[in-house]
Amino acid sequence: MTDRCALLAHLTPVEQQAVVENGRWRQLNIGEFFFHQGEPANLMYLIARGRVKLTQLTPDGTQVILNYFGPGEGLGIIIALSHMAYPLSAEVIELCTCLYWDQETMHQLMLQYPQLALNGLDMVARRFAQLQERYQELATQRVEQRVARTVLRLVTQFGKQVDNGILIDMALTREDLAQMTGTNLYNVSRILSKWEQQSLIFSERKRIVLCQPHKIVLVAEDLPFVKPALP
């Protein structure tokens, strides 16, 4: 876990061990929540195994999926920076084992190991940049572009090579994609059906395989498909 965890990056093995030993282990089942949006932020988690869906409710009650996290990702880093409430909800979608720390313990560890605090700031900065990128996509890109970019992000996180392409190795519904891209189920279904007809993807039972990922990249970048020249 430590070799792929941004929170523990650049710490010595001894320092990493000290941080881990000051945490506590917990297991959560599918459907359970690490925390809900609006609750006081008092615990920080580090996922060792499993996957988590991050969602947020808009003022009108619409649920938006912001991201999916897997092993090595941290949840609730906001506890290290402020006394704010959790800005989103974190739901388990695959049996999770995690480490967690309360706010006081994490503050003490960051004072003892300044690199840990710098890592926390870096995590916050990266997630802020991701949110800015998502906002820019919503403001400037066509729906099909947004869906393509979201699919490619999921491939980066959870892609697995299979015989007919690259599988997004997690349960993913069309409604999930709609929530992640700021559109509706009709538009996502129309786009995925079009891609299937073009043999760009194959989808079945909440699974999506990218059969021609390079062409999905062209869609994401709003570039035309170019047929190879005849000899």
Side-chain angles (χ1 to χ4, degrees):
M1 177 181 67
T2 57
D3 60 346
R4 58 188 176 191
C5 174
L7 180 66
L8 303 178
H10 310 301
L11 295 173
T12 68
V14 172
E15 291 170 338
Q16 291 180 348
Q17 185 64 26
V19 174
V20 169
E21 288 178 350
N22 276 275
R24 296 182 179 181
W25 289 97
R26 182 182 177 187
Q27 184 168 290
L28 291 90
N29 295 314
I30 295 173
E32 291 189 286
F33 284 78
F34 283 90
F35 45 78
H36 291 86
Q37 179 180 340
E39 291 179 346
N42 50 28
L43 294 175
M44 179 182 172
Y45 300 88
L46 181 60
I47 304 169
R49 182 169 68 95
R51 288 173 184 160
V52 179
K53 178 171 68 175
L54 305 179
T55 61
Q56 192 172 61
L57 286 177
T58 64
D60 65 359
T62 302
Q63 178 173 278
V64 178
I65 297 176
L66 298 179
N67 212 335
Y68 290 90
F69 279 177
E73 297 278 6
L75 298 167
I77 184 63
I78 193 171
I79 72 161
L81 305 176
S82 70
H83 295 281
M84 296 172 60
Y86 291 117
L88 44 76
S89 299
E91 180 183 1
V92 176
I93 60 170
E94 182 183 289
L95 182 67
C96 277
T97 302
C98 67
L99 268 171
Y100 70 94
W101 300 264
D102 61 36
Q103 190 172 50
E104 182 179 353
T105 299
M106 183 52 67
H107 280 175
Q108 290 299 319
L109 288 168
M110 287 183 167
L111 288 172
Q112 187 173 358
Y113 308 115
Q115 183 62 53
L116 188 64
L118 292 175
N119 291 346
L121 287 172
D122 183 66
M123 291 167 64
V124 171
R126 287 177 183 275
R127 291 175 189 175
F128 179 70
Q130 289 170 358
L131 288 176
Q132 283 187 311
E133 181 181 356
R134 291 281 297 278
Y135 176 78
Q136 183 183 47
E137 289 176 2
L138 288 171
T140 64
Q141 294 179 1
R142 298 180 297 108
V143 174
E144 187 175 14
Q145 272 186 278
R146 300 203 304 266
V147 174
R149 284 179 174 263
T150 299
V151 165
L152 292 173
R153 277 195 291 265
L154 292 172
V155 164
T156 300
Q157 288 179 280
F158 307 117
K160 176 182 177 182
Q161 191 72 45
V162 293
D163 290 342
N164 57 339
I166 302 176
L167 168 70
I168 299 176
D169 191 20
M170 59 173 287
L172 183 68
T173 68
R174 297 186 175 195
E175 180 61 36
D176 292 337
L177 277 175
Q179 290 186 21
M180 293 185 77
T181 53
T183 187
N184 55 50
L185 179 59
Y186 170 79
N187 281 333
V188 169
S189 295
R190 176 179 56 81
I191 289 166
L192 295 187
S193 296
K194 170 187 169 184
W195 290 355
E196 286 199 273
Q197 291 171 5
Q198 296 173 333
S199 299
L200 304 187
I201 66 167
F202 171 77
S203 63
E204 183 181 48
R205 297 177 183 175
K206 300 182 183 180
R207 291 289 193 272
I208 295 177
V209 176
L210 276 65
C211 304
Q212 300 187 65
H214 61 288
K215 289 191 175 180
I216 300 296
V217 172
L218 293 178
V219 176
E221 299 299 329
D222 201 23
L223 298 172
F225 293 171
V226 179
K227 295 183 180 179
L230 295 175

